[in-house]
Amino acid sequence: MENITFTRDELKNQLQSSGVQQQELFERARQVRNNAQGNKLNIRGVIELSNSCVENCMYCAMRRDNRLIDRYTLDEETILSIADQIINAGIPTVFLQSGESAKSGYLLESVIPEIYQRYNCDILLCAGKKDAETYKRYKKAGANGYILKFEMSNPSLFEKTTGASHAERLSCIRSIRSSGMKLGTGNISGLPNQTLDDIIDDIFLAIELSPEFVSPFIPNNGTPYEKAPKGNIDLTLNLMAIWRIVFPNALIPTVSALEYIHPDGQAAGLNAGANVITVNFTPKQNRDKYAIYAKDRFVVSLEHAFKTAKQADMSLI
Ligand code: SAH
């Protein structure tokens, strides 16, 4: 693993960079990315299996106390036919994302081996906390990556914001690592009550865990944070660029939330060093109910992915 090339003071300074300094930061991030991995944009197809969730995070509309959304869980046949569409579109990674529940956990156990046997493709998961044995079974069934963000490195901020245990979340992240799946992790930036020092600590924690993800904060309807200010796009882009410089070989997504807070926000993410875009394949009627980020969230189509790659002058792979 690379050693961090920034001190705490440098991080503070770079996180707040603007104007010419910011352009230089982004330029450096692009150079690091292109030297390590080429000027290539990786593409994933996501299926959002279920919006049922046992957690109660203050920022997320899938939180269990939110009575304003209709809960759905896709059936196995629907999931498999969408996986087929993803593969037929030439996309090499099927990304299965879900709220955290026993039901979606079991569903994964049956669809992972089917998808793997049919297409021998990359299977990436993001479905919350599971026990160590479950992560191992997912790996054995054919999944090769799992995203579980630590969200916040500050334990008391994490516990106040999510109502869950920080130690348990970190222990799950370590179990994913030992299952042999690739680990995706990261934070949310721009949350209410989060300081710049908290974000610097997030970077140091990420270095310990080996990251590939950062996402801005978007206030969500039906959550206690619905009236909070949207995350600051410059802070997020600066953080993404720092992340890229620290981790030349990481896959760093330019998340749809960037497009929601700013037009062409995803192209800006690529200009700051990201190299992954996720296209949404969830059926329309369910997609509107899978309200992470926001009810009127930006939904990435294949056309939008092509357009974004072109804007950032990257080739799609
Ligand atoms: N429940 C699962 C996975 C689904 S949510 C889990 O706990 O991992 C996937 C990610 O969406 C979360 O990790 C969180 O970082 C992000 N997210 C949810 N609501 C958000 C919001 N309002 N703003 C920014 N990111 C959000």
Side-chain angles (χ1 to χ4, degrees):
M1 193 192 291
E2 296 283 317
N3 285 326
I4 189 160
T5 48
F6 295 104
T7 63
R8 213 179 161 89
D9 283 345
E10 282 165 351
L11 283 176
K12 199 165 224 164
N13 178 280
Q14 294 291 0
L15 279 172
Q16 299 176 90
S17 65
S18 61
V20 176
Q21 186 194 351
Q22 188 181 41
Q23 290 314 314
E24 283 169 4
L25 176 68
F26 293 169
E27 167 75 34
R28 184 173 161 202
R30 287 194 299 272
Q31 262 171 23
V32 169
R33 176 193 66 205
N34 296 351
N35 288 343
Q37 305 185 53
N39 187 26
K40 294 183 203 122
L41 179 58
N42 299 271
I43 184 162
R44 295 171 178 157
V46 68
I47 312 172
E48 291 150 339
L49 305 189
S50 169
N51 64 356
S52 291
C53 192
V54 297
E55 301 291 342
N56 211 22
C57 307
M58 302 271 266
Y59 46 80
C60 185
M62 290 193 285
R63 69 200 306 271
R64 62 170 185 265
D65 284 354
N66 185 4
R67 307 262 179 266
L68 301 175
I69 56 168
D70 290 337
R71 304 289 171 167
Y72 76 87
T73 301
L74 299 182
D75 59 35
E76 196 175 324
E77 205 186 309
T78 308
I79 297 166
L80 294 174
S81 83
I82 307 171
D84 198 61
Q85 286 170 36
I86 295 174
I87 299 296
N88 285 334
I91 297 175
T93 304
V94 175
F95 179 18
L96 302 170
Q97 197 182 35
S98 173
E100 184 179 309
S101 71
K103 202 162 145 193
S104 65
Y106 292 132
L107 197 53
L108 285 175
E109 308 244 6
S110 57
V111 296
I112 297 168
E114 273 301 318
I115 297 174
Y116 186 68
Q117 278 153 28
R118 288 188 193 181
Y119 310 108
N120 193 17
C121 59
D122 286 332
I123 301 176
L124 175 65
L125 311 176
C126 176
K129 291 179 293 187
K130 309 283 169 209
D131 59 39
E133 290 309 311
T134 305
Y135 291 132
K136 280 188 198 149
R137 283 198 306 278
Y138 292 160
K139 159 77 180 153
K140 216 170 152 207
N144 56 354
Y146 200 107
I147 297 175
L148 189 73
K149 295 166 70 182
F150 59 80
E151 320 285 14
M152 286 147 261
S153 58
N154 179 330
S156 77
L157 182 64
F158 178 89
E159 289 177 8
K160 272 189 213 121
T161 311
T162 67
S165 150
H166 192 251
E168 191 192 1
R169 187 123 183 136
L170 290 186
S171 147
C172 288
I173 291 175
R174 297 203 164 92
S175 302
I176 294 168
R177 167 85 341 123
S178 34
S179 76
M181 290 188 284
K182 285 188 203 142
L183 169 70
T185 190
N187 68 343
I188 304 185
S189 56
L191 284 163
N193 308 318
Q194 184 186 41
T195 66
L196 213 49
D197 276 305
D198 286 330
I199 295 178
I200 294 170
D201 289 336
D202 288 350
I203 298 172
F204 286 107
L205 175 58
I207 286 167
E208 223 182 291
L209 297 170
S210 192
E212 61 161 2
F213 204 9
V214 51
S215 95
F217 161 70
I218 308 289
N220 221 323
N221 304 335
T223 71
Y225 285 174
E226 67 185 357
K227 301 232 155 54
K230 285 179 190 175
N232 174 329
I233 190 158
D234 285 307
L235 175 66
T236 301
L237 293 173
N238 293 345
L239 184 52
M240 288 171 71
I242 290 167
W243 218 313
R244 166 58 65 209
I245 294 164
V246 176
F247 294 103
N249 293 308
L251 288 171
I252 300 179
T254 186
V255 293
S256 63
L258 289 169
E259 198 74 31
Y260 180 76
I261 55 175
H262 202 277
D264 298 330
Q266 284 185 294
L270 298 179
N271 282 326
N275 64 344
V276 180
I277 192 159
T278 301
V279 173
N280 196 303
F281 281 83
T282 307
K284 171 91 178 81
Q285 71 272 23
N286 304 109
R287 214 195 275 155
D288 296 341
K289 297 177 187 158
Y290 193 89
I292 51 167
Y293 297 144
K295 219 169 176 172
D296 56 344
R297 71 194 171 125
F298 185 83
V299 175
V300 178
S301 64
L302 207 48
E303 293 69 38
H304 176 76
F306 291 143
K307 186 187 117 194
T308 305
K310 207 164 163 202
Q311 273 174 326
D313 202 17
M314 292 178 82
S315 56
L316 270 172
I317 53 165

